[in-house]
Amino acid sequence: CSPSSWFRTRRAEGSESAGMDLAMQSAGGLPWDVIVARGLYGVHMLSMPCWVAASAWSLWKRRDIRAQYGSSKIAGGGLPTRAEYFSIRLLALYTVMDALRAMDLCFDSTDGVCRAVWGFVPWWFRCAVWVARDLALLGSIGSNLSFHLGWTYEALEWEQPRTLQMVMHGTLGIVLCAIAAAFWALMATNRQSWQAWACMFVVGLNAVWAYTNFVLLKRVVPAIESRIQAGKLLPAWVGAAVVEVRVAAKLVIIADLAILVLFPIIAFERVVLRGAHEKAFYPGMGLNEWAGNAVPPLMMQRPDGILLNPVLEVVELLIGWLQCIYVLRVCGACISTRVPCNPPGEAVIHHGYIDEATMGSLFRSVAFGITCKKVL
């Protein structure tokens, strides 16, 4: 159909949905699940300006800090760490993609069909935005975690955990490809089971991350704190670096545990108990038909006895606010807590950021009183 007729159809359906809402209200009010879903949608819409503003401010803050040291000829002056350099940019991309996803937010239902608030965004656009958003979020977390693991081991002069790093990087790459493939299969086959498989791919990655964060919190950070020279007056950035590792690990492990608990339950309930592989994701088309051009039904257009399931949206809100807290905490740090330039006589060839080896070597020389290695 033509674009004009398509928009007329969606507008008519929206008017029909509004009429259904008024009828429900006159008969005693909207169903409780619709009230909860619209409340979460309202919270998400109120959260989006905060997340976008935090991301924009973080990018501006990074440029401002670099500009303050822009005239410095000392290597490393005013540079962000590798974690900040990539994580802040990827989280900004995540925020933009999530805003596009949430403008016509969908909620899962007990029959496995996703139902939208407004119902005007086709599935191909939703899936493309969702994949890009997940790639940005997972890439940001993975980059941050890898950097923290690298520089702390370098500071302690421990052998780098190459096996753990390889598992982290390999799992991240596999999961990113698997998520993209699962969403394509969801549209190509119109089978509900592919959404559950996408969730399970993320569970595997979060299991690796949960273990890595546990290592940081229970082994690495206590080892660093025990080696810091007692009674020695240290620069503020030393304590801030340790606090950043601890806070980031705690924030990520909270999200890891939430996903490890909730996503397997969702997948089991959908695939095993409801037989999702034999059910259509979009009810207006058959199995193994391309559903990418379809638009989801509205929340009020559901059969009797079918309820909206807001669990996934609660997890998304939790992730959004955790990343916002991280961005504000990192970029809101005062200049005294920023990693300074290298000690006199120590030259570093950098690529726009402070890498793990430089960060660990500098931390070791200041916090432990051990001569800093020269990184070339």
Side-chain angles (χ1 to χ4, degrees):
C1 60
S2 64
S4 59
S5 62
W6 182 84
F7 278 108
R8 283 196 300 270
T9 301
R10 303 315 302 167
R11 185 166 59 248
E13 291 179 353
S15 300
E16 178 184 354
S17 177
M20 294 171 65
D21 290 354
L22 292 175
M24 286 285 188
Q25 291 173 357
S26 61
L30 294 172
W32 66 269
D33 60 321
V34 175
I35 295 176
V36 171
R38 291 189 172 181
L40 289 174
Y41 177 68
V43 172
H44 205 128
M45 289 298 98
L46 292 175
S47 300
M48 285 310 308
C50 300
W51 299 347
V52 172
S55 295
W57 176 78
S58 67
L59 294 174
W60 172 83
K61 188 72 172 180
R62 293 278 70 77
R63 292 171 60 90
D64 183 58
I65 291 176
R66 190 180 179 103
Q68 292 183 43
Y69 294 100
S71 59
S72 175
K73 303 301 181 182
I74 304 176
L79 294 176
T81 64
R82 185 177 69 85
E84 295 172 354
Y85 185 86
F86 289 106
S87 295
I88 297 300
R89 287 164 172 78
L90 288 172
L91 288 177
L93 175 61
Y94 162 84
T95 303
V96 173
M97 292 298 102
D98 192 65
L100 294 175
R101 179 191 71 91
M103 65 182 178
D104 186 20
L105 196 62
C106 268
F107 287 88
D108 190 18
S109 304
T110 53
D111 61 350
V113 177
C114 288
R115 292 177 165 83
V117 175
W118 305 110
F120 66 90
V121 177
W123 272 116
W124 69 264
F125 183 82
R126 291 177 184 275
C127 290
V129 168
W130 206 318
V131 169
R133 188 201 69 136
D134 285 353
L135 296 183
L137 177 64
L138 299 179
S140 173
I141 297 174
S143 175
N144 191 284
L145 188 56
S146 177
F147 176 80
H148 286 164
L149 197 65
W151 84 255
T152 52
Y153 270 70
E154 173 67 26
L156 292 167
E157 295 185 290
W158 291 354
E159 183 180 357
Q160 287 292 321
R162 301 196 183 281
T163 301
L164 182 56
Q165 292 274 21
M166 289 177 60
V167 171
M168 287 173 52
H169 297 160
T171 306
L172 177 60
I174 293 172
V175 168
L176 294 180
C177 294
I179 290 175
F183 275 97
W184 179 87
L186 177 67
M187 293 184 292
T189 66
N190 195 31
R191 294 180 184 269
Q192 295 179 10
S193 56
W194 284 109
Q195 191 179 32
W197 282 117
C199 292
M200 291 307 298
F201 292 142
V202 177
V203 168
L205 178 61
N206 279 268
V208 175
W209 283 352
Y211 172 77
T212 306
N213 283 299
F214 181 81
V215 170
L216 285 172
L217 291 173
K218 295 300 181 181
R219 182 175 175 225
V220 178
V221 172
I224 288 178
E225 293 176 334
S226 66
R227 289 187 58 180
I228 293 178
Q229 297 179 1
K232 182 180 179 181
L233 183 61
L234 297 174
W237 71 266
V238 172
V242 178
V243 170
E244 180 183 345
V245 174
R246 181 187 293 109
V247 171
K250 287 182 178 180
L251 290 177
V252 174
I253 207 169
I254 289 173
D256 289 338
L257 295 177
I259 290 174
L260 289 173
V261 172
L262 294 176
F263 279 20
I265 296 175
I266 295 174
F268 178 83
E269 187 268 341
R270 174 161 296 183
V271 176
V272 178
L273 299 182
R274 292 197 315 217
H277 192 65
E278 301 301 327
K279 292 184 177 181
F281 182 69
Y282 177 70
M285 304 180 70
L287 298 178
N288 298 323
E289 293 186 19
W290 176 258
N293 296 328
V295 293
L298 298 173
M299 290 191 301
M300 296 302 299
Q301 297 173 336
R302 68 192 197 283
D304 293 338
I306 300 301
L307 300 176
L308 301 175
N309 185 359
V311 173
L312 185 59
E313 179 58 22
V314 172
V315 174
E316 300 291 358
L317 283 171
L318 173 63
I319 294 173
W321 277 109
L322 288 177
Q323 66 88 17
C324 183
I325 292 171
Y326 169 76
V327 166
L328 293 176
R329 184 178 182 87
V330 170
C331 297
C334 61
I335 295 297
S336 63
T337 61
R338 302 293 307 163
V339 180
C341 60
N342 298 302
E346 297 293 338
V348 173
I349 297 177
H350 57 76
H351 299 283
Y353 52 80
I354 301 173
D355 60 16
E356 296 93 327
T358 305
M359 176 71 181
S361 181
L362 177 58
F363 185 94
R364 182 172 61 247
S365 68
V366 176
F368 304 155
I370 302 175
T371 302
C372 180
K373 293 181 180 180
K374 181 174 291 188
V375 182
L376 297 175

